[in-house]
C-alpha cells in the first residue's frame, strides 16, 4: 500500500532524514461544508532508514506505537462528509504530536535539557516511557540503541511538531471565524481494553473531553448516545481523556471545541492488529455518521454565538 504523499491538499513540515518528505498534509480546509476538522497525529508510518537503524525490535515497536491505519478511517470519513482533515506522515516513534515539547525524558538526550525543562511537571508522561520521543514499551523495553542528539531533537520539533500545531491552530481559527464555532475531532486507535471481569465486554470507542474541559457537554452527550444507539460499547474519558492536542487547541469559551475519539483496533484490523480487515469500511461509515450529526450541532452553537469574527 503506497500511502506516502499520495494526496491532494496543503502539505507542510518535513521529516528529517527523509530527503524532504512532508511531515503532514491538510485537506479540505478552504472548501469544507462542515465546521469540523479531523486530526490524526499518531498514524504516520514514513520511517527514515536512519531512524529504523537506531531502533531495537523495529517491526514490533512501530506496530505498537502506531495508531495503525486509523488515518484510512479518517480519510474515508473526510471523503464521505466533507470535513477538513489533518494527518501526519511523520511517525510517532520520531516525535509524538500529542505531547508538549517539554514532555521529554531528558536523560535520553545527549546534550541535555534546558534547566527549566529538566524538572518540569509537564514531563509526567515521559516518566512512563511515552513522552515527546517514546523511550520504552511494556513487553519490549528500551526502544532505542543509544541516546538522541539534542540537535536532532530540536530539528524534529522545528520541522514537524511546530508546523503541525501551527497548521492545526490556523485551521481551527478559520473554521470558527467562518461558522462561529468549530469542532476538532482528534482521531486515535487503541489496543483492545482488558476486561475487569471474565466475560465482560469492553468499549470499542472512548470519547475524551479532558473531563469536561475541552468541549460543550451537549456535543459529548450526543457522541456517547450515538454509539450506544448503534449498539457499540462506548466509554467516557477512561482510560483515555485526551492529551496535548486538546489541551493546546480546545477553547470552548471562544467557540473551539475538541474531543478525542479512540477506536479499538480489533474493530477494524485483522486478528494480528496489523492490516485492515473487511470491517474497516463499516467503522468508517459509523464515524462519518457521527461527524455529520455533530457538525449540525456545532453549527447551531455557532449560530447562537456572540463571539466576534476575525473579519469584524
Amino acid at each position: 500500500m503506497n500511502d506516502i504523499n499520495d494526496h491532494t491538499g496543503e502539505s507542510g513540515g518535513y521529516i528529517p532524514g527523509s530527503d524532504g518528505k512532508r511531515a503532514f498534509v491538510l485537506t479540505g480546509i478552504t472548501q469544507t461544508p462542515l465546521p469540523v476538522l479531523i486530526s490524526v497525529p499518531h498514524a504516520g508510518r514514513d520511517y527514515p532508514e536512519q531512524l529504523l537503524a537506531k531502533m531495537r525490535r523495529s517491526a514490533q515497536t512501530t506496530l505498537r506505537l502506531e495508531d495503525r491505519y486509523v488515518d484510512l478511517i479518517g480519510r474515508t470519513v473526510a471523503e464521505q462528509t466533507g470535513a477538513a482533515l489533518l494527518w501526519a506522515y511523520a511517525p510517532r516513534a520520531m516525535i509524538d504530536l500529542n505531547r508538549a515539547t517539554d514532555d521529554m525524558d531528558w536523560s535520553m538526550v545527549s546534550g541535555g535539557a534546558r534547566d527549566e525543562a529538566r524538572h518540569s511537571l509537564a514531563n509526567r508522561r515521559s516518566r512512563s516511557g511515552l513522552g515527546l520521543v517514546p523511550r520504552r514499551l511494556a513487553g519490549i523495553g528500551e526502544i532505542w540503541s543509544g541516546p538522541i542528539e539534542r540537535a536532532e531533537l530540536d530539528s524534529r520539533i522545528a520541522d514537524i511538531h511546530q508546523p503541525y500545531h501551527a497548521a492545526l491552530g490556523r485551521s481551527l481559527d478559520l473554521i470558527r471565524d467562518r461558522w462561529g464555532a468549530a469542532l476538532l475531532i482528534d482521531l486515535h486507535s487503541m489496543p483492545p481494553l482488558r476486561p475487569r471481569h471474565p466475560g465482560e465486554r469492553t468499549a470499542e470507542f472512548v470519547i475524551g473531553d479532558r473531563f469536561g474541559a475541552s468541549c460543550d457537554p451537549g456535543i459529548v452527550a450526543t457522541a456517547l448516545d450515538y454509539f450506544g444507539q448503534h449498539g457499540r460499547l462506548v466509554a467516557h474519558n477512561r482510560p483515555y481523556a485526551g492529551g496535548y492536542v486538546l489541551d493546546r487547541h480546545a477553547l470552548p469559551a471562544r467557540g473551539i471545541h475538541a474531543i478525542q475519539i479512540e477506536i479499538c483496533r480489533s474493530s477494524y484490523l485483522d486478528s494480528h492488529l496489523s492490516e485492515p480487515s473487511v470491517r474497516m469500511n463499516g467503522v468508517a461509515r459509523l464515524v462519518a455518521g457521527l461527524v455529520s450529526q455533530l457538525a449540525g450541532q456545532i453549527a447551531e452553537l455557532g449560530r447562537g454565538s456572540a463571539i466576534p469574527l476575525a473579519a469584524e
Side-chain angles (χ1 to χ4, degrees), residues 223-283:
L224 294 169
D225 289 345
Y226 176 88
F227 285 117
Q229 290 169 5
H230 286 80
R232 303 295 187 115
L233 287 182
V234 60
H236 185 203
N237 283 322
R238 300 190 186 280
Y240 303 106
Y244 174 73
V245 170
L246 269 58
D247 289 341
R248 174 166 174 170
H249 295 285
L251 292 166
R254 296 291 298 161
I256 297 178
H257 304 263
I259 59 173
Q260 177 177 289
I261 299 180
E262 295 271 1
I263 306 173
C264 183
R265 292 171 196 158
S266 66
S267 69
Y268 70 93
L269 295 176
D270 62 16
S271 60
H272 301 290
L273 304 183
S274 175
E275 297 300 322
S277 74
V278 295
R279 298 184 300 278
M280 176 177 277
N281 286 337
V283 170

Side-chain angles (χ1 to χ4, degrees), residues 75-299:
R75 283 189 246 183
T76 299
V77 171
E79 290 168 0
Q80 292 182 0
T81 64
L85 176 67
L86 174 68
W87 80 91
Y89 288 143
R92 183 184 184 187
M94 177 170 274
I95 192 165
D96 191 331
L97 294 165
N98 201 26
R99 300 289 184 269
T101 54
D102 57 358
D103 194 354
M104 183 71 194
D105 183 345
W106 294 103
S107 67
M108 66 186 288
V109 180
S110 177
R114 303 181 305 275
D115 289 340
E116 68 270 21
R118 187 181 298 275
H119 301 293
S120 170
L121 293 176
N123 63 359
R124 62 194 182 279
R125 290 183 188 250
S126 68
R127 299 187 196 115
S128 69
L130 292 174
L132 181 67
V133 177
R135 177 167 187 169
R136 58 185 173 271
L137 285 168
I140 290 179
E142 292 287 327
I143 293 172
W144 307 105
S145 58
I148 180 176
E149 295 293 330
R150 178 58 190 268
E152 183 178 353
L153 176 62
D154 289 344
S155 178
R156 296 180 191 181
I157 293 172
D159 297 333
I160 303 172
H161 195 280
Q162 290 177 348
Y164 182 92
H165 284 283
L168 183 50
R170 286 194 305 269
S171 299
L172 289 169
D173 284 343
L174 283 171
I175 293 172
R176 188 272 316 276
D177 290 350
R178 186 183 309 146
W179 292 83
L183 175 63
L184 169 63
I185 297 176
D186 202 41
L187 191 62
H188 294 258
S189 72
M190 61 184 180
L193 299 176
R194 293 182 179 179
R196 291 172 296 178
H197 309 288
E200 179 186 39
R201 292 176 61 204
T202 56
E204 292 180 77
F205 299 87
V206 178
I207 306 296
D209 65 349
R210 302 304 287 155
F211 299 100
S214 70
C215 190
D216 180 271
I219 297 293
V220 178
T222 296
L224 294 169
D225 289 345
Y226 176 88
F227 285 117
Q229 290 169 5
H230 286 80
R232 303 295 187 115
L233 287 182
V234 60
H236 185 203
N237 283 322
R238 300 190 186 280
Y240 303 106
Y244 174 73
V245 170
L246 269 58
D247 289 341
R248 174 166 174 170
H249 295 285
L251 292 166
R254 296 291 298 161
I256 297 178
H257 304 263
I259 59 173
Q260 177 177 289
I261 299 180
E262 295 271 1
I263 306 173
C264 183
R265 292 171 196 158
S266 66
S267 69
Y268 70 93
L269 295 176
D270 62 16
S271 60
H272 301 290
L273 304 183
S274 175
E275 297 300 322
S277 74
V278 295
R279 298 184 300 278
M280 176 177 277
N281 286 337
V283 170
R285 287 193 299 271
L286 182 68
V287 177
L290 174 64
V291 168
S292 296
Q293 188 165 331
L294 295 182
Q297 199 167 348
I298 282 288

